Amino acid sequence: MKASFLSLFAAFALLVGTAPRAETPPAPVAPAPKPSQVRVKNLRVTVLSTMLAEKGIGEWGFAALVEADGRRILLDTGYLPNTVLQNAKEQGIDLSDITDVILSHNHDDHTGGLVTLRRELSKKNPAALSRAHVAPGIFWSRPKKDGGEGNPMVAFRPEYEAAGGTFIEHTGPVELAPGVWLTGPVPRPNPERNWSSKGQVQSPQGLVEETIPEDQALVIDTDQGLVVITGCGHAGVVNILEFARKQVRSAPIHAVLGGLHLFRADEKTLAWTGRKLREMKLGHLMGAHCTGIETVFRLRELAGLQRSTCVVGAVGASFELGKGLNPLELAR
C-alpha cells in the first residue's frame, strides 16, 4: 500500500448530559490472585488502529499489539473489519501466532475487527485469536430508542463462537502471563465520568445508566514501573491506575498508552487528572483514539512531561521498554 498521510477524526460521541435515574451498579470484583512477582524485561506495544495514520489506515477506533517477554497479545480490534489486518500488513506484522485478544469493552470501535480477524488469521493458524478475554457486562443488551440493539457484541458473540472462538470472562484481576495483568472491571472511587453515552444498559438489576461497567485495561509490571494500556479508559484513567497499583504493585506509572476518553474534558477535569498523573510519577504518555489531541498537549504540561515523553498516538507508533516512545514523524 502506498504510504500516505491520513488523519480521520470523528466526533460521534454525545455530550454528557443529565444522568438517568439509576446508575449501573458497580461490577463485583473478585479477589486478585497472589502476584507471581515476575517482572517483564522486554516489552513493545505497537498501535494498529487509531485516528491518526502516517502509514496505513486511520479510523475512529483502537487496537494495539502487546509483546511482553515473547508473549503476544492483541488489545482491541479496531472499528472497521479489515483495518487491523491491513495496518498490520502495512507494518510487516504477522498476527497469526496470537492466540489471545483482549476486548476492553463492548463498543464497535474496539470490537469491529474481531470476527474478521479470527476468520482470516485462523486460515494460517487454527488457534489464532481463539480466546477473547472480556469482563462482565460486555454482552448486556443496550436497547436503542427505536427498538434496536445498541451493543454490537450481541451479534458478534455468536459469529465469533461459530468461527471457533471462545470468550473467557474475568470478574477480577488475572495474571495472563508472568508480569502481564488484566484488571477485569475497575472500581470507580473517583468521580470520573469518562463516557459519552446517554443510553441505558439491561443489567441484572434492570435498566440502568450505561457507564460501560465492563471496561478493563492491561497492566505490565516492569522494573521501571507499571505500563498500563487502555482501550478507552471509560473507568477513568486515575481509577485504573490506582487499581493497578493496588492489585499489581505500588510502583510508579512508567507509561500509559491508549485511549483515555478525555477529548471533551473541561479544564477543571484536566487539571485534576494531570495532578494525579504527576503524583503517580507518570513517565510516558501516548494518548491515542479518544484521548483528544489538545488533551494530550495539556496533560503534557500538567503532568510535567516533555515532547519526547508525551505524544499523540498514531498507527504504527510504538513504545519499547528501555527506549521509550516512537511516535513516527507525523506526531513527533
Side-chain angles (χ1 to χ4, degrees):
M1 180 182 293
K2 184 178 180 180
S4 63
F5 289 91
L6 175 63
S7 177
L8 178 61
F9 303 95
F12 62 81
L14 300 175
L15 288 170
V16 175
T18 303
R21 296 178 183 177
E23 291 191 357
T24 310
V29 178
K34 185 178 180 179
S36 65
Q37 299 184 337
V38 173
R39 294 178 189 167
V40 170
K41 303 301 182 184
N42 298 289
L43 173 66
R44 181 180 176 86
V45 180
T46 306
V47 177
L48 293 177
S49 169
T50 191
M51 284 82 77
L52 186 65
E54 179 175 323
K55 183 179 181 181
I57 301 170
E59 64 173 2
W60 181 275
F62 187 72
L65 170 62
V66 181
E67 300 171 283
D69 285 347
R71 178 72 179 268
R72 306 177 84 222
I73 298 172
L74 185 66
L75 189 145
D76 288 338
T77 62
Y79 176 42
L80 297 176
N82 291 300
T83 298
V84 173
L85 275 174
Q86 293 186 41
N87 284 344
K89 182 178 180 181
E90 189 81 10
Q91 305 297 327
I93 296 173
D94 184 1
L95 302 175
S96 64
D97 65 343
I98 300 175
T99 57
D100 294 82
V101 57
I102 293 166
L103 300 180
S104 63
H105 61 295
N106 78 87
H107 292 165
D108 56 5
D109 51 332
H110 297 258
T111 61
L114 176 65
V115 176
T116 296
L117 283 164
R118 167 59 190 164
R119 287 173 176 166
E120 291 303 312
L121 296 176
S122 64
K123 294 175 182 177
K124 183 175 181 180
N125 174 17
L129 266 61
S130 57
R131 295 191 296 259
H133 300 268
V134 300
I138 196 169
F139 301 119
W140 294 352
S141 174
R142 273 75 174 180
K144 299 169 76 172
K145 291 182 178 180
D146 62 6
E149 177 54 64
N151 182 357
M153 288 303 297
V154 172
F156 291 160
R157 182 177 192 174
E159 293 181 34
Y160 178 71
E161 291 176 336
T166 300
F167 287 103
I168 303 171
E169 190 172 278
H170 301 283
T171 60
V174 59
E175 195 170 21
L176 298 177
V180 179
W181 286 81
L182 183 60
T183 64
V186 175
R188 305 180 184 187
N190 297 296
E192 298 174 275
R193 290 182 60 88
N194 289 14
W195 60 89
S196 301
S197 174
K198 294 181 180 179
Q200 294 184 305
V201 55
Q202 189 66 53
S203 76
Q205 289 73 33
L207 200 61
V208 297
E209 179 186 8
E210 163 67 308
T211 62
I212 309 99
E214 75 274 13
D215 187 73
Q216 58 180 352
L218 193 64
V219 182
I220 315 296
D221 192 7
T222 78
D223 287 332
Q224 289 90 334
L226 303 181
V227 176
V228 179
I229 308 151
T230 64
C232 263
H234 287 301
V237 61
V238 176
N239 286 328
I240 293 169
L241 298 183
E242 289 182 348
F243 189 58
R245 296 185 74 204
K246 179 180 179 181
Q247 297 294 336
V248 178
R249 186 165 64 94
S250 183
I253 304 299
H254 186 55
V256 173
L257 316 167
L260 304 183
H261 210 272
L262 289 169
F263 70 105
R264 291 191 183 276
D266 58 26
E267 284 299 316
K268 182 179 179 181
T269 299
L270 291 179
W272 178 84
T273 304
R275 176 170 57 83
K276 290 290 188 180
L277 295 177
R278 185 188 286 260
E279 289 173 358
M280 286 185 269
K281 304 185 186 308
L282 176 64
H284 301 80
L285 173 64
M286 182 190 288
H289 185 36
C290 55
T291 305
I293 293 176
E294 178 61 24
T295 295
V296 172
F297 298 148
R298 292 290 292 120
L299 289 178
R300 176 191 291 175
E301 174 187 4
L302 293 164
L305 299 172
Q306 307 297 322
R307 182 171 177 174
S308 62
T309 57
C310 182
V311 301
V312 175
V315 172
S318 63
F319 170 83
E320 190 169 351
L321 197 62
K323 295 183 178 179
L325 297 165
N326 179 7
L328 304 181
E329 292 301 319
L330 189 59
R332 190 174 299 279

